[in-house]
Amino acid sequence: MTPNRQLTAGQVADLVRGRLVGRSDVEIAGVASLERAGPGDLSFLVSSRYLPYLERSNAGAVLITSRFGNVATGPKTFIVVDDPYTALARVLTEMHPPPAPIWGVHPTAVIGRGVCWQGRISIGPSALLGPRVELGEGCEISPFAVVETGAQLGDQCRIGSHAIVCGGTHLGNRVTLKPGARVGTPGFAFASQGSAGHLHVSHVGGCYVEDDVEIGANSTVDRGSIGDTVIGAGTKIDNLVQVAHNVRIGERCLIMAQVGLAGSTIIEDDVMIAGQAGLAGHLAVGRAAKIAAQAGVIGDVAAGSTVSGYPARPHRDVLRQAAALKRLARITPYLERIVETQR
Amino acid sequence: MTPNRQLTAGQVADLVRGRLVGRSDVEIAGVASLERAGPGDLSFLVSSRYLPYLERSNAGAVLITSRFGNVATGPKTFIVVDDPYTALARVLTEMHPPPAPIWGVHPTAVIGRGVCWQGRISIGPSALLGPRVELGEGCEISPFAVVETGAQLGDQCRIGSHAIVCGGTHLGNRVTLKPGARVGTPGFAFASQGSAGHLHVSHVGGCYVEDDVEIGANSTVDRGSIGDTVIGAGTKIDNLVQVAHNVRIGERCLIMAQVGLAGSTIIEDDVMIAGQAGLAGHLAVGRAAKIAAQAGVIGDVAAGSTVSGYPARPHRDVLRQAAALKRLARITPYLERIVETQR
Amino acid sequence: MTPNRQLTAGQVADLVRGRLVGRSDVEIAGVASLERAGPGDLSFLVSSRYLPYLERSNAGAVLITSRFGNVATGPKTFIVVDDPYTALARVLTEMHPPPAPIWGVHPTAVIGRGVCWQGRISIGPSALLGPRVELGEGCEISPFAVVETGAQLGDQCRIGSHAIVCGGTHLGNRVTLKPGARVGTPGFAFASQGSAGHLHVSHVGGCYVEDDVEIGANSTVDRGSIGDTVIGAGTKIDNLVQVAHNVRIGERCLIMAQVGLAGSTIIEDDVMIAGQAGLAGHLAVGRAAKIAAQAGVIGDVAAGSTVSGYPARPHRDVLRQAAALKRLARITPYLERIVETQR
């Protein structure tokens, strides 16, 4: 995508508070990987794995960390920073500032009685705000989004197209819901009546989504049954994730695509859960734990640990056991024969 | 959430046909877990696991089963019932009756030619009913919901916001589709033409969803290819579940979030499938079988059995094998050496 | 579903270029499986597994391959073809031609400034085209679909109800998005700021979806971060699939429901990925590889190979190891004792 603003290498260095090695007047018209970058592009080196690409790269300038300082010589222009990825994020935001919202209320939007907001607001075509919805300053409600009766949003929330904020939901400031996210839906709870089927249990708990949370496209977050569902400040949730009723997620967690969290499970701060992992209900996951992709967690997870597999256990054990099984499978008939003869 | 109606402990006991032990005049203003309940709250004890919380609880009254009858003494007020969870469901519905629908057709709704319904109906903003749709009495069609040409709905169906009922779909009575559910979409079937790609196979089968079925947010149910897809009466399906073409699900099944059912698989009555489990196509799952979370089922499952793991097998075997592998991994080098020397 | 057009067995044979064995004047009023077919139905035999059903079948005519030629005698009418499934697809399309689109722009649609299209177009109720969207000839935009600012669509694209085509997305010709698909959403990328949380990394890459691609209901495809996300011509993607930023999928791949592809992974042509499989990021999957259901792929996959399990490995090894473990679990205590005595 052609950026809206161009920079020189010197301006990039100022922006990211980096040290410039080379020519400050190199003009940066875009950002690209080392492989694809041309002389007008800024690139970046985040891992030694990509060092071989650096030499061949035609990039006009390269963001690197001082760890790779020894390469920052020669004809190329470098910008040395603590964290090239953070620097890249800042440059991208500078070069591609998000389009300004169209402030105002589109004539096709439907606004319920008693809706109130602060300052300016952007409400897109056919968006729907139910009665008594409260919004902070600078919220953007995209086309076909629904904010149901009485829901509360803080400042600068961005509700994507077709996203739904159900009644009983409270969003903090700067919460982003991507397209198709459903937040605060009644959960899945039934009291069995035997052959008479399942009696639905009403959900009357809240759904609290704190500041700076992002919830991905088509993800679903159920409201609490009688307690609350809580997603802590700064936590980021990817696409197609399921968060069941009464789940409590701490701050700054990263939850990748297609993860499923069953009811009442508690996740502490800074936990990372990789794609397609599933956690049973009523568990506790300690601070900064890492849960590998596709892990099936059926017990508590200790703070700081890394688990994988089904049933999830320390990742080191999973690898060791997989290696052992591979070796044992080769000698299984011999082992059986030995047992047979020694019995 | 503040309830709409308050009750006394005596009224609760009458409502749930329970035996009151203690003061009938305790005023119940809400429902909460034992830990969080205050003197104005009703709480409940469903498992002996939570007995320690009971003593410390400040709950005004507690629903318990006679199994825990020995604790139903002392200063607290108890309501003794057969099943506290069912009683809780009844109390919640009494205290938080669902808001009455806004009967009538919103002016922004689009109604096709030949649509007909019985009695009263609630059609929300921007909802869309295609030509010749038939609805029973008391249906609620939420904002942005789409009911396509010729689809048929029974009485008191609730079609959530953004949900879609495709052509060829027949819903029974009291069917609930949560927001974003897609029911009756054409399935995934192609005849390979080698290097010329894949030829789409038209889907002309029906999609029958029987009485009292609930389908979760953003779940997808494909219509039959040439036969029908069927979801039996009283079955409840959670969020983000995939039901492929020609699947036949029996009555009163519980299917948790993110489960995937491949084409033509048959699930008998009262089956429970836990989160993220996947079933291959053309399988048969017998009555009342239980399929554990994340199980990967690639063969038939016997009635009444419990399976887990990949490939799914009796859960007992999975646990035994996991324990065995853990022990074997510790002695693998020794076993290899023994085989080496005895070969 | 009652077909719109009826055929005789002779007309079917002509249509599919098959050899008729039996009566050409059998009237075909529908298509059904061997079990369910009546005298007015065409049926088909695709696998020897269903041979027992053939004899009992009441089908008026049966599509078979010459491989089963020896059964194509007796009272029944047969149509012998190379590939009965392809023939079936052609017959279904002939008998149930898709309803002609309603050409024109519905009065409730919202069309941005500078939108342009070729020839005729069908834009349904409440559909939304942002500024400067470009469409080819004969596109169908369903109700509540959103095509965002500047997105480009080729000829005869079909955008399902509630589907979203985000800015930066380029669709080829005959691309189908099923209901609720989200294509070109910004991906999940953050630069960690430690206790200060996660800094969002803007997505400025494109999303290229080539000719004849189909994307399933509620599936999500993220746009590239700084490179592009690409889905190759003829590839078919089922429901609830996640395709992360910068993924590159080749041509004619089949990707089943609930699969997850993490960022920057490269899938070559003709790959098949079964349901709920997950692929980690930055991997390469070689041409015509097969990835089994629920496989957890954390390394490259060789062209032509078949992998399964977690971590994914050759399917043959997975089965062998599962069998070995079953046997070893029975003798684990004996093996421990032997090691103990020989240590």
Side-chain angles (χ1 to χ4, degrees):
Chain A
M1 206 163 81
T2 317
N4 299 11
R5 297 182 195 157
Q6 299 200 2
L7 300 170
T8 64
Q11 287 172 319
V12 169
D14 288 352
L15 176 69
V16 303
R17 299 182 189 188
R19 182 167 58 86
L20 185 84
V21 179
R23 289 174 45 201
S24 73
D25 62 348
V26 174
E27 291 194 3
I28 302 299
V31 174
S33 65
L34 286 168
E35 260 180 298
R36 294 163 177 265
D41 287 325
L42 177 72
S43 195
F44 52 96
L45 179 65
V46 288
S47 153
S48 57
R49 182 180 167 187
Y50 294 103
L51 265 171
Y53 294 101
L54 179 64
E55 205 166 331
R56 295 195 294 267
S57 179
N58 295 315
V62 182
L63 290 162
I64 58 165
T65 165
S66 53
R67 194 152 57 93
F68 303 132
N70 58 317
V71 302
T73 58
K76 283 204 176 63
T77 292
F78 292 93
I79 298 158
V80 184
V81 290
D82 286 346
D83 176 10
Y85 200 50
T86 295
L88 179 71
R90 295 201 195 286
V91 172
L92 283 169
T93 303
E94 183 70 16
M95 296 181 77
H96 301 266
I102 299 171
W103 299 114
V105 178
H106 195 275
T108 57
V110 175
I111 311 292
R113 264 187 283 183
V115 170
C116 63
W117 60 78
Q118 311 297 322
R120 58 193 185 175
I121 200 166
S122 170
I123 302 187
S126 294
L128 172 58
L129 305 187
R132 296 183 304 285
V133 162
E134 296 176 26
L135 305 100
E137 202 272 330
C139 289
E140 296 175 54
I141 313 295
S142 299
F144 309 116
V146 175
V147 184
E148 293 187 351
T149 308
Q152 299 180 326
L153 284 69
D155 296 339
Q156 295 166 51
C157 289
R158 295 166 60 198
I159 309 303
S161 302
H162 295 96
I164 301 180
V165 180
C166 295
T169 301
H170 307 254
L171 307 185
N173 299 314
R174 297 172 302 279
V175 170
T176 298
L177 305 190
K178 288 184 168 176
R182 321 294 178 189
V183 175
T185 38
F188 192 77
F190 300 93
S192 171
Q193 311 298 296
S195 64
H198 305 286
L199 182 66
H200 184 255
V201 181
S202 297
H203 277 64
V204 302
C207 182
Y208 290 82
V209 179
E210 299 180 356
D211 293 351
D212 300 300
V213 166
E214 178 176 312
I215 297 177
N218 288 349
S219 287
T220 53
V221 179
D222 288 340
R223 73 187 295 176
S225 52
I226 58 171
D228 296 321
T229 302
V230 180
I231 301 179
T235 283
K236 310 294 184 182
I237 296 179
D238 201 352
N239 300 339
L240 293 168
V241 168
Q242 153 77 355
V243 178
H245 49 201
N246 308 324
V247 165
R248 289 171 171 263
I249 303 176
E251 303 189 352
R252 294 175 305 276
C253 295
L254 290 176
I255 299 180
M256 313 299 181
Q258 297 175 317
V259 162
L261 306 177
S264 300
T265 277
I266 295 174
I267 316 276
E268 293 187 6
D269 296 344
D270 299 303
V271 167
M272 187 180 295
I273 309 182
Q276 295 185 335
L279 282 71
H282 296 273
L283 303 181
V285 176
R287 189 189 167 91
K290 286 183 187 359
I291 297 175
Q294 289 195 333
V297 181
I298 58 175
D300 292 348
V301 177
S305 60
T306 298
V307 300
S308 71
Y310 175 85
R313 49 206 190 281
H315 186 52
R316 202 183 320 119
D317 293 355
V318 170
L319 295 181
R320 190 186 299 145
Q321 290 167 15
L325 179 56
K326 193 175 170 182
R327 288 156 63 181
L328 291 167
R330 289 192 204 110
I331 58 173
T332 299
Y334 303 102
L335 292 171
E336 286 178 327
R337 212 170 305 147
I338 290 166
V339 167
E340 198 55 45
T341 56
Q342 305 210 353
R343 237 178 204 174
Chain B
M1 207 163 81
T2 317
N4 299 11
R5 296 182 196 158
Q6 299 200 2
L7 300 170
T8 63
Q11 287 171 321
V12 169
D14 287 351
L15 176 69
V16 302
R17 299 180 188 192
R19 182 168 59 85
L20 185 84
V21 180
R23 291 174 44 202
S24 74
D25 61 348
V26 174
E27 292 193 6
I28 302 299
V31 173
S33 66
L34 287 168
E35 260 179 299
R36 293 164 177 266
D41 287 324
L42 176 71
S43 195
F44 51 97
L45 180 64
V46 289
S47 152
S48 58
R49 182 181 166 186
Y50 294 104
L51 265 171
Y53 293 101
L54 180 63
E55 205 167 331
R56 295 195 295 265
S57 180
N58 295 315
V62 183
L63 291 162
I64 58 167
T65 166
S66 54
R67 195 152 56 91
F68 304 130
N70 60 318
V71 302
T73 56
K76 283 203 176 63
T77 293
F78 292 92
I79 298 158
V80 184
V81 291
D82 286 345
D83 175 11
Y85 200 51
T86 294
L88 179 71
R90 295 199 196 287
V91 172
L92 283 170
T93 302
E94 183 70 18
M95 296 181 76
H96 302 265
I102 300 171
W103 299 113
V105 179
H106 195 273
T108 57
V110 175
I111 311 291
R113 264 187 283 181
V115 170
C116 63
W117 60 77
Q118 311 298 321
R120 58 191 185 176
I121 199 165
S122 169
I123 302 186
S126 294
L128 173 58
L129 305 187
R132 296 182 304 285
V133 162
E134 297 176 25
L135 304 100
E137 202 273 330
C139 289
E140 296 175 55
I141 314 294
S142 299
F144 308 116
V146 176
V147 184
E148 293 188 350
T149 308
Q152 299 179 326
L153 284 69
D155 296 339
Q156 295 167 49
C157 289
R158 295 167 59 199
I159 309 302
S161 301
H162 294 96
I164 301 180
V165 180
C166 295
T169 302
H170 308 254
L171 307 185
N173 299 314
R174 298 172 303 280
V175 171
T176 297
L177 305 190
K178 288 184 168 177
R182 322 294 179 189
V183 175
T185 39
F188 192 76
F190 299 93
S192 172
Q193 311 297 295
S195 64
H198 305 286
L199 182 66
H200 184 255
V201 181
S202 297
H203 278 64
V204 302
C207 182
Y208 289 82
V209 179
E210 299 179 356
D211 292 352
D212 300 300
V213 167
E214 179 176 310
I215 297 178
N218 288 350
S219 287
T220 54
V221 178
D222 289 341
R223 72 188 292 176
S225 52
I226 58 172
D228 295 320
T229 303
V230 180
I231 301 179
T235 284
K236 310 294 184 181
I237 296 179
D238 201 351
N239 300 339
L240 293 167
V241 168
Q242 153 75 355
V243 178
H245 49 200
N246 309 325
V247 165
R248 289 171 172 264
I249 303 175
E251 303 190 352
R252 294 175 305 277
C253 295
L254 289 176
I255 300 181
M256 313 298 181
Q258 297 174 317
V259 162
L261 306 177
S264 300
T265 277
I266 295 174
I267 315 277
E268 293 187 7
D269 296 344
D270 299 304
V271 168
M272 188 180 295
I273 309 182
Q276 295 186 334
L279 282 72
H282 298 271
L283 303 180
V285 176
R287 189 188 169 91
K290 287 184 186 358
I291 297 175
Q294 289 196 332
V297 181
I298 58 175
D300 291 349
V301 176
S305 60
T306 298
V307 300
S308 70
Y310 175 85
R313 50 206 190 281
H315 186 53
R316 201 184 319 120
D317 293 355
V318 170
L319 295 180
R320 190 185 299 146
Q321 290 167 14
L325 180 55
K326 192 174 172 183
R327 289 157 62 181
L328 291 167
R330 289 191 203 113
I331 58 172
T332 299
Y334 303 103
L335 291 171
E336 286 178 326
R337 212 171 303 147
I338 290 166
V339 166
E340 198 53 46
T341 56
Q342 304 210 351
R343 237 177 202 171
Chain C
M1 206 164 81
T2 316
N4 299 11
R5 297 182 196 158
Q6 300 201 2
L7 301 170
T8 63
Q11 287 171 319
V12 168
D14 288 351
L15 175 70
V16 303
R17 299 181 189 188
R19 182 168 58 85
L20 185 84
V21 179
R23 290 174 46 201
S24 73
D25 62 347
V26 175
E27 292 193 5
I28 303 299
V31 174
S33 64
L34 287 168
E35 260 178 298
R36 293 164 178 266
D41 288 323
L42 177 71
S43 194
F44 52 97
L45 179 64
V46 289
S47 153
S48 57
R49 181 180 168 188
Y50 295 102
L51 266 171
Y53 293 101
L54 180 63
E55 205 166 331
R56 295 195 295 266
S57 179
N58 295 315
V62 182
L63 291 162
I64 59 165
T65 167
S66 54
R67 195 154 54 94
F68 304 130
N70 60 316
V71 302
T73 57
K76 282 203 176 65
T77 293
F78 293 92
I79 298 158
V80 184
V81 290
D82 286 345
D83 176 11
Y85 201 50
T86 294
L88 179 72
R90 296 200 194 288
V91 171
L92 283 170
T93 303
E94 184 71 16
M95 296 182 76
H96 301 266
I102 300 170
W103 299 113
V105 179
H106 195 274
T108 57
V110 175
I111 312 292
R113 265 187 281 182
V115 170
C116 63
W117 59 77
Q118 311 298 321
R120 59 191 184 176
I121 200 165
S122 169
I123 302 186
S126 294
L128 172 58
L129 304 187
R132 296 183 302 287
V133 162
E134 296 176 26
L135 305 100
E137 202 272 330
C139 288
E140 297 175 53
I141 314 294
S142 299
F144 308 116
V146 176
V147 184
E148 293 187 352
T149 308
Q152 300 179 327
L153 283 69
D155 296 338
Q156 295 166 51
C157 288
R158 296 166 59 199
I159 310 302
S161 300
H162 293 96
I164 301 180
V165 180
C166 295
T169 301
H170 308 253
L171 307 185
N173 299 315
R174 297 172 303 280
V175 170
T176 297
L177 306 190
K178 288 183 169 177
R182 321 294 178 189
V183 175
T185 39
F188 193 75
F190 299 92
S192 171
Q193 311 298 295
S195 64
H198 305 286
L199 182 66
H200 184 254
V201 181
S202 297
H203 277 64
V204 302
C207 182
Y208 289 82
V209 179
E210 299 180 357
D211 292 352
D212 300 300
V213 166
E214 178 176 312
I215 297 177
N218 287 351
S219 287
T220 54
V221 179
D222 289 340
R223 72 187 294 176
S225 53
I226 58 171
D228 295 321
T229 303
V230 180
I231 301 179
T235 283
K236 310 294 184 182
I237 296 179
D238 201 352
N239 299 339
L240 293 169
V241 168
Q242 153 76 354
V243 179
H245 49 201
N246 309 323
V247 165
R248 288 170 172 266
I249 303 175
E251 303 189 353
R252 294 175 305 277
C253 295
L254 289 176
I255 300 180
M256 313 298 182
Q258 297 175 316
V259 162
L261 306 177
S264 301
T265 277
I266 294 173
I267 315 276
E268 293 187 7
D269 296 344
D270 299 303
V271 168
M272 188 181 295
I273 309 181
Q276 295 187 333
L279 282 71
H282 298 271
L283 303 181
V285 176
R287 190 189 167 89
K290 287 185 187 356
I291 297 175
Q294 289 196 332
V297 181
I298 58 175
D300 292 348
V301 176
S305 60
T306 298
V307 301
S308 71
Y310 175 86
R313 49 207 190 279
H315 187 53
R316 202 184 318 120
D317 293 356
V318 170
L319 295 181
R320 191 185 300 143
Q321 290 167 15
L325 179 56
K326 192 174 171 183
R327 289 156 62 181
L328 291 167
R330 289 191 204 112
I331 58 173
T332 300
Y334 304 102
L335 292 171
E336 286 179 326
R337 212 170 304 147
I338 290 167
V339 167
E340 198 54 47
T341 56
Q342 304 210 353
R343 239 176 201 173

